Amino acid sequence: QVNVVESGGGSVQSGGSLRLSCTVSGATQSTYCMAWYRQIPGKKREGVASIDNKANIQYAHDVQGRFTIASGFLEMHTLKPEDTAVYYCAYDPGYWCTSNALTRTEDYTYWGQGVQVTVSS
């Protein structure tokens, strides 16, 4: 059984930084796609960044240059109030990330419980 757990959320002021961690346990396949999504109440979950075991990386346009993804981590810098959301780690074992990694939530088999990120102005 694969388990996905996020940590590292919190509250920061605009311009600050946070580092989120995604711990995956129980995975047996070396091939995977991992992504971070975020969601605010009443809105659709949106992809933020993705990475696979071949280090193919994608970023959403509005976080490009501010966020950095690595396997198991999402570093967020120059945070803005509009980055406020619940952030989820998604994991799809056995597949590399596709060009739809930031749009097709249904491709991910496992999700964490989410962590709150709040950026105040």
Side-chain angles (χ1 to χ4, degrees):
Q1 177 69 24
V2 175
N3 194 37
V4 178
V5 179
E6 306 96 338
S7 60
S11 298
V12 294
Q13 290 195 321
S14 182
S17 300
L18 279 174
R19 189 189 200 202
L20 304 183
S21 298
C22 177
T23 302
V24 178
S25 59
T28 59
Q29 294 167 290
S30 58
T31 300
Y32 66 86
C33 176
M34 175 184 286
W36 289 92
Y37 277 71
R38 64 187 180 187
Q39 189 171 26
I40 60 175
K43 289 210 168 181
K44 182 182 173 183
R45 197 168 290 192
E46 64 174 14
V48 174
S50 66
I51 186 170
D52 62 25
N53 61 294
K54 296 181 72 176
N56 296 308
I57 293 174
Q58 299 177 63
Y59 293 103
H61 177 73
D62 58 351
V63 306
Q64 184 86 40
R66 300 189 298 121
F67 290 14
T68 301
I69 190 171
S71 182
F73 300 97
L74 181 69
E75 293 201 352
M76 306 183 294
H77 300 285
T78 320
L79 283 161
K80 305 174 182 179
E82 50 265 43
D83 294 317
T84 296
V86 176
Y87 283 70
Y88 297 90
C89 181
Y91 188 78
D92 189 29
Y95 299 92
W96 297 315
C97 292
T98 70
S99 57
N100 296 316
L102 299 184
T103 56
R104 286 178 57 89
T105 57
E106 61 268 36
D107 285 350
Y108 296 94
T109 309
Y110 302 101
W111 291 81
Q113 79 287 354
V115 290
Q116 178 69 46
V117 171
T118 302
V119 185
S120 57
S121 57

